[in-house]
Structures are given as C-alpha cells and as structure tokens.
Amino acid sequence: MTTTFITGANKSLGLETARRLVEAGHTVLLGARHRERGRAAAESLGARFVSIDVTDDASVRAAAADVAAREGTIDVLVNNAGVLGKVGPVEEYTAADMSAVLDVNVVGIVRVTHAFLPLLRTSPNPVIVNVSSGMGSFGMTQDPARIESQYALPLYCASKAAVTMLTTQYAKELKDVKVNAADPGQTATDFTGGLGHSVADGAESIVALATIGPDGPTGRFVDRSGNLPW
C-alpha cells in the first residue's frame, strides 16, 4: 500500500489529486491549514486529515510527528500548497508581498520536505512531486503561442520559477528520492477565476508523477503532455 501526503489538499487541484490517488489505492493523508474544511474533504474521500500550515515550522513538525506516530512512513510527498499573491500594477508590489508568496510557494516546500524526508526514506520507492507552473518558465512565458505569455504575474511567476529550479537541484542531491515538478496548466480554479481546463485535467500531471515506479524519472518538469521547457 502506497502512503501519500498532500499539502493544501482541501480543495481544487489538491483535492482532485487526493481523490484520484485514493481511487488508485493509495492511503492518502490530506494536509490542510483549515481544520473544518480539511476534515470534511478527507471524510468525503476516505482519506485521513492532517493539520498543517506550510508557513509555520511548529505546524509542519507536528504534522510530520503525527504521521510518524500513525503511519510510520510515507512513500509520496505532494507539495501542492500554494498562493497566487497580490495581483495588480507592479509599482504597488512591496517586499512584504513577495515574501508572503515565497513563504508559501517556495520556503513551504523546503519546510515540508525537510520535515518529511526521514519518513520518505523509509520507503522503498520515495517520491516527491512539487506543483509548479508553466508561468515560471522563461520559454513558455516568452512564447506568443503559449497562454502563459498573455499574463503578467511577477510574484507568482518568480515563485514558480524557484519551485522548478528547487526541484531540479533537490533531484541532483537526493539520489535516493525521485523529485519532479508538475505543471497543471491553466486550470479552472480560484487562481484563474474559473478559466482553463477542468481540475481533473489539471491533476493529470501530478497524479502521473505521484504514481511513478522505481524506474521512473527524476528532475523533470512535466505537464499532462510530457516534458516542458524551462
């Protein structure tokens, strides 16, 4: 039985990923900051709720301790929690605005990975999936043929560029863990104001990477169609 921990999983892509992995036979630990929403989401899927705020060191440590005491291991870590951050004229962005986005989207991944890595290393096939975005790709945001080139989201884009690079560097360093980044594409969620393809389509790349076998890839950035330019 594969045990999978997902952050930010009480709605949207995280919830759909949790649903799909439960259906695939995984024991899913649904991580969320909002306790009531998280519990309700977990109960609706047959998953177990674990309280976690990826911006809080103590919360992340407590979540890892909870999983260590209950399950004793995880096989897959999906770092899905993320925020869009402030949107508006670039001259209005402050350092605090940038810090808030990075704290969730990038530093949160480091916090959670650091805390859960000992549990992952008890697995025979440890896997980390970081949810990134084509909005963090220079190639895609500069290509007029791509939808990513039509938007300007400096804070979010910078954070997702960092997520993808963090993924490739972790993949180099963690020889015993497969570490990859998934791009859901423009998905109809709160982030996009309902624009884009379905959440089911958006979750495809995350689910695919969360279910790779021992001979699966590492250090890749993919969407549901395959490898992406960075």
Side-chain angles (χ1 to χ4, degrees):
M1 180 71 75
T2 300
T3 300
T4 300
F5 186 88
I6 309 171
T7 65
N10 65 288
K11 64 178 183 177
S12 299
L13 284 165
L15 182 62
E16 177 63 14
T17 299
R19 184 187 69 78
R20 297 273 292 279
L21 293 177
V22 167
E23 289 181 352
H26 288 216
T27 295
V28 172
L29 308 177
L30 189 152
R33 180 178 55 179
H34 299 285
R35 291 178 182 270
E36 290 185 6
R37 296 177 195 169
R39 285 197 184 95
E43 288 175 4
S44 73
L45 298 179
R48 183 170 84 82
F49 169 66
V50 178
S51 177
I52 186 169
D53 179 347
V54 302
T55 68
D56 185 283
D57 290 336
S59 174
V60 172
R61 286 195 300 267
D66 178 295
V67 175
R70 293 281 296 272
E71 285 77 24
T73 186
I74 62 169
D75 302 286
V76 181
L77 171 63
V78 180
N79 285 309
N80 169 73
V83 295
L84 182 61
K86 185 173 183 175
V87 177
V90 69
E91 59 267 22
E92 295 181 2
Y93 297 147
T94 66
D97 294 330
M98 183 78 253
S99 294
V101 174
L102 292 174
D103 198 24
V104 178
N105 294 0
V106 183
V107 182
I109 288 177
V110 175
R111 282 192 188 95
V112 175
T113 301
H114 176 75
F116 281 84
L117 195 54
L119 290 169
L120 275 168
R121 282 180 159 150
T122 66
S123 168
N125 180 38
V127 170
I128 296 174
V129 182
N130 295 326
V131 179
S132 190
S133 172
M135 293 297 293
S137 162
F138 182 87
M140 295 163 73
T141 55
Q142 300 300 311
D143 181 352
R146 299 281 316 199
I147 189 72
E148 290 84 359
S149 69
Q150 298 179 24
Y151 298 95
L153 299 168
L155 306 185
Y156 180 76
C157 291
S159 75
K160 290 303 183 178
V163 169
T164 303
M165 182 55 73
L166 187 69
T167 299
T168 64
Q169 296 302 302
Y170 269 43
K172 287 182 179 180
E173 292 291 315
L174 299 176
K175 306 295 187 184
D176 55 335
V177 182
K178 292 184 174 57
V179 189
N180 295 288
D183 172 24
Q186 188 181 41
T187 305
T189 66
D190 294 346
F191 278 22
T192 65
L195 297 176
H197 52 227
S198 69
V199 174
D201 285 344
E204 286 285 344
S205 59
I206 307 172
V207 172
L209 289 175
T211 54
I212 58 174
D215 59 346
T218 193
R220 301 286 182 86
F221 177 38
V222 306
D223 67 4
R224 60 192 176 124
S225 299
N227 292 327
L228 294 173
W230 300 354

